[in-house]
Amino acid sequence: MSGVKGMGDTLDADLLVVGGGLAGLLTALGAVQRGLRVTVVERDTRERLGGLARWAFGGMALVGTPLQARAKIPDHPERALADWLRWGGLSPADPADRWPLAWARHYVERSRPDVHDWLRGLGLRFLPAVNWVERGLNGEGNSLPRYHVLWGTSRLLTLRVIAALEQAASGPRADRLTLLCGTRVTALDWTDGAVSGAQALDEASGRVLRLRAPQVVLATGGLNGTLEGVRAHWPAGQPCPGELLNGAHPFADGALHRAAVQAGARIAAPGAMWNYAAGIPHPQPHFAGHGLSLVPPKSALWLDAAGRRIGPAPLVTGFDTHDLCRQVAAQAQPWTWQLLNRRIARRELAISGAEHNPRIRERQWLPFLAETLLGSDRLLDQLLRESPQVLAHERLDGLAAQMNALSGGPHVDPAVLQATVDAFDAHFVPGQGLRLANDDQLRRIQHARQWGPDRLRTCAPAPLQRRGDGPFVAIQLRLITRKSLGGLVTDLHSRVLDAQDQPLPGLYAVGEAAGFGGGNASGRRSLEGTFLPGCILTAQAAARHLGGGPPPA
């Protein structure tokens, strides 16, 4: 991939792609393969090319796949669309939902050929189990398992896409691609009402660049990469925690969204966002406020800052992430606690992303299988060494003292913590099993364990104080930001639309910048695993149209 070419600090191309995340790289790949000369501008370093996808876990919601068929999961686009619209709150009767609905329909109809089969064509594979996430508190979410996990995580996907792009722009075709890293686009240029390029700044040298192109693709990520942006867009009337962790990319600040709006573009649903309720500070942060998103163990008790179980319905992961975030955000203190023991941690504790899933990331099949079947102390021991927010003690009163030392005050009364655990353990009557239990968390655990993949990763219910299962573990959690569900309104060609639903000449948006299609394809909440496929589908649509191809099927 070449450096700057052109006269002085001006560079000409057929296409300018702003952002080197997965959606931007895929758009550039498709355009280069169609013979266009492409300039890709990425603010981050060359080593971090790929954006958040380079660090993501790689879970994807896919419909009608061979893995589903093998597991006798009767999924099809019509059923998936019904789940999607019910869960996201999109309505055919609302004119504002026209393009989000079109993209939701496109997603469920094309995720098998254009995502699953396309990934297989790149030599990528999925883990053999299809997981069941976002079921809904009352079954209103995913009515079937759809969550497919990339073997190698999305880091491998990102590296494969970069390699394909390098190959497409090699040899006699090397002049088709120019990659500018460490470069920030500061403004869009317009000529006679059409986009004509952008102005950029080389942040190392301070050199100002003029990038001329008759077509520009915004692949800049979402609106909420900064905590200031999250607070500015937080839904009115809903409590916002006093402290938040950042799980997004701080360069995704919405600046070019606003530049597009000044030219007539529309942003849909800026307050729609996908956050997680179980964040801890990253032990080796990449930027200020950087957090890690835990996958909260289903068998852990989720407690408020005083050590009481949050309720009346207990919080259990895997059913409604949006509701978890809403309840956590409404707490009096900006932190909550997960209370568990080593037995639970060995089987259920996990951190989302490629970084802390080395068995999947490095495709170590036998160690992965052993840890899945037998459990592992590896992650808990690592967190106890590296993260002050993860505590362990053989006694609950000693754990309460550690919790208070961490939170900076006597928030947790040891007697209250003991009573909380005793009340939960009372559901386990000796000799009766769970016949006399009446607890919603236990019911949800039993429901989850009916599905084989969940059974492997969810402990059989047992008293928290059972002898031999210790020590007790407490994890202090904060809400962590992740994705903007809203973005620039686009049509099925990924063209940015104005208030009259007309394309702004030459301007496209893909991935999170476009709300994963149409400005808000997910609606108010996602079925989970829709983000990577949304990047792929919107990038494919843009590249197809830029190359003169037909619209998406």
Side-chain angles (χ1 to χ4, degrees), residues 96-331:
D97 288 344
R98 175 191 175 188
W99 292 111
L101 271 168
W103 272 103
R105 186 172 293 108
H106 177 66
Y107 183 112
V108 299
E109 291 174 352
R110 302 301 301 178
S111 69
R112 162 70 194 275
D114 293 349
V115 179
H116 176 277
D117 295 353
W118 177 79
L119 290 168
R120 295 276 296 186
L122 281 181
L124 297 169
R125 300 292 182 268
F126 292 91
L127 286 173
V130 183
N131 293 281
W132 199 350
V133 299
E134 294 301 294
R135 307 176 186 209
L137 294 175
N138 299 293
E140 70 276 29
N142 277 306
S143 61
L144 294 170
R146 297 191 174 101
Y147 192 78
H148 298 63
V149 177
L150 271 178
W151 183 234
T153 72
S154 67
R155 178 179 180 273
L156 181 60
L157 164 60
T158 304
L159 295 177
R160 290 283 172 88
V161 170
I162 293 172
L165 186 55
E166 290 174 335
Q167 182 178 5
S170 61
R173 300 166 295 180
D175 63 347
R176 291 186 186 176
L177 179 67
T178 298
L179 173 64
L180 305 177
C181 289
T183 303
R184 175 168 57 94
V185 170
T186 56
L188 298 176
D189 288 336
W190 299 84
T191 303
D192 297 329
V195 73
S196 55
Q199 299 170 43
L201 177 69
D202 183 317
E203 295 197 307
S205 67
R207 183 171 52 135
V208 176
L209 304 173
R210 187 174 182 194
L211 309 173
R212 295 190 300 207
Q215 300 173 111
V216 175
V217 175
L218 300 181
T220 52
L223 294 160
N224 296 331
T226 67
L227 296 183
E228 293 79 13
V230 171
R231 295 188 186 282
H233 298 130
W234 198 268
Q238 295 188 21
C240 181
E243 299 174 19
L244 295 164
L245 294 171
N246 193 349
H249 199 299
F251 291 166
D253 57 8
L256 293 186
H257 288 72
R258 294 187 288 273
V261 168
Q262 289 175 357
R266 290 182 288 147
I267 294 177
M273 55 186 76
W274 186 252
N275 301 322
Y276 290 105
I280 61 172
H282 196 302
Q284 293 87 38
H286 301 178
F287 48 83
H290 187 193
L292 293 171
S293 178
L294 270 62
V295 181
K298 286 183 173 63
S299 301
L301 302 185
W302 209 318
L303 311 180
D304 64 15
R308 297 184 177 89
R309 211 164 166 202
I310 298 174
L315 304 190
V316 187
T317 190
F319 293 89
D320 190 339
T321 298
H322 188 272
D323 182 71
L324 287 178
C325 290
R326 182 184 60 81
Q327 295 210 50
V328 165
Q331 297 299 308

Side-chain angles (χ1 to χ4, degrees), residues 325-341:
C325 290
R326 182 184 60 81
Q327 295 210 50
V328 165
Q331 297 299 308
Q333 299 291 347
W335 70 86
T336 59
W337 295 97
Q338 282 250 297
L339 180 65
L340 56 154
N341 55 33

Side-chain angles (χ1 to χ4, degrees), residues 62 362 543:
L62 304 174
E362 304 302 330

Side-chain angles (χ1 to χ4, degrees), residues 341 396 418 421-423 425 462-469 472:
N341 55 33
L396 285 172
Q418 184 68 58
V421 176
D422 287 344
D425 285 357
L464 202 62
Q465 299 173 94
R466 191 171 69 175
R467 185 182 300 274
D469 288 349
F472 298 106

Side-chain angles (χ1 to χ4, degrees), residues 23 52 221-224 257 482-484 486-487 510-516 535:
L52 288 179
L223 294 160
N224 296 331
H257 288 72
R482 187 59 176 165
K483 297 289 185 186
S484 305
V510 295
E512 192 177 352
F516 303 101
C535 288

